[in-house]
């Protein structure tokens, strides 16, 4: 599902349409009219006139939060609590290690905020929250050109990641 119907939500939805495995089931907006308009434009089958209704849809497996930044934390916490899922915190060093790994392994020059998702997957796997048999999708936004100083710090790091050096 996608929460909000602005420009970024549209860009995400267009990219998702090109995915081999992703499918957008639902969209939510602050008004039913906006949700219906977005749904018509992007062929989204379920449309909700409030964000909470999307979170309560039992068929929605993941949520992209495209609200204005000040609202991200509120809806992320609601999504995690409502799903019975979990969230992990990552350190700056773990994010830098993720930037390095993405660059070397996938050829992706990510900014720190974009690499944070991959760092979270690494931490969740190390803690056994995501098994080796499970697939995790990470949307990496933003180019490393936004923060070239962080890229330089990532290149200077040694080892595989702070959580592994601490023993778990």
């Amino acid at each position: 599902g996608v929460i909000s119907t602005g420009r970024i939500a549209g860009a995400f939805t267009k990219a998702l349409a090109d995915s081999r495995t992703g499918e957008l089931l639902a969209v939510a907006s602050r008004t039913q009219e906006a949700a219906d308009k977005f749904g018509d434009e992007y062929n989204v089958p379920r449309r909700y006139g409030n964000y909470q209704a999307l979170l309560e849809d039992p068929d929605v497996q993941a949520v992209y939060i495209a609200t204005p930044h000040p609202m991200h934390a509120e809806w992320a916490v609601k999504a995690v609590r409502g799903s019975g899922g979990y969230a992990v915190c990552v350190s700056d060093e773990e994010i830098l290690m993720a930037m390095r790994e993405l660059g070397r392994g996938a050829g992706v020059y990510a900014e720190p905020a974009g690499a944070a998702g991959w760092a979270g997957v690494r931490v969740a796997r190390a803690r056994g929250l995501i098994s080796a048999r499970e697939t995790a999708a990470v949307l990496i936004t933003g180019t490393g050109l936004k923060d070239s100083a962080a890229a330089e710090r990532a290149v200077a790091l040694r080892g595989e990641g702070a959580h592994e050096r601490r023993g778990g």
Side-chain angles (χ1 to χ4, degrees):
V2 172
I3 291 180
S4 196
T5 55
R7 181 180 55 83
I8 298 298
F12 173 79
T13 301
K14 285 178 186 175
L16 186 62
D18 292 335
S19 165
R20 290 188 307 262
T21 58
E23 177 186 345
L24 183 55
L25 175 68
V27 63
S29 186
R30 290 176 291 172
T31 68
Q32 188 64 50
E33 180 183 9
D36 288 339
K37 181 180 176 187
F38 189 94
D40 288 344
E41 183 176 350
Y42 296 103
N43 196 30
V44 183
R46 298 183 192 173
R47 298 110 185 248
Y48 297 106
N50 68 77
Y51 303 153
Q52 188 62 42
L54 183 141
L55 296 181
E56 293 171 0
D57 184 328
D59 297 323
V60 172
Q61 296 178 354
V63 177
Y64 179 74
I65 300 169
T67 60
H69 288 131
M71 298 172 67
H72 283 190
E74 173 189 356
W75 287 102
V77 169
K78 287 179 179 181
V80 170
R81 287 183 175 156
S83 71
Y86 57 86
V88 296
C89 293
V90 294
S91 69
D92 289 347
E93 186 176 5
E94 288 164 333
I95 291 171
L96 293 174
M97 290 304 301
M99 289 173 64
R100 180 178 173 159
E101 184 174 289
L102 287 166
R104 287 185 172 180
V108 174
Y109 186 33
E111 68 166 321
W118 181 242
V121 167
R122 294 182 81 232
V123 168
R125 283 204 167 135
R127 294 181 184 166
L129 298 170
I130 300 174
S131 76
R133 293 185 313 241
E134 291 179 286
T135 300
V138 178
L139 176 65
I140 299 172
T141 60
T143 173
L145 295 173
K146 285 185 173 180
D147 190 347
S148 58
E152 290 173 10
R153 291 191 306 274
V155 169
L157 288 175
R158 302 274 185 238
E160 290 300 314
H163 66 278
E164 291 168 355
R165 284 195 295 278
R166 288 193 304 264

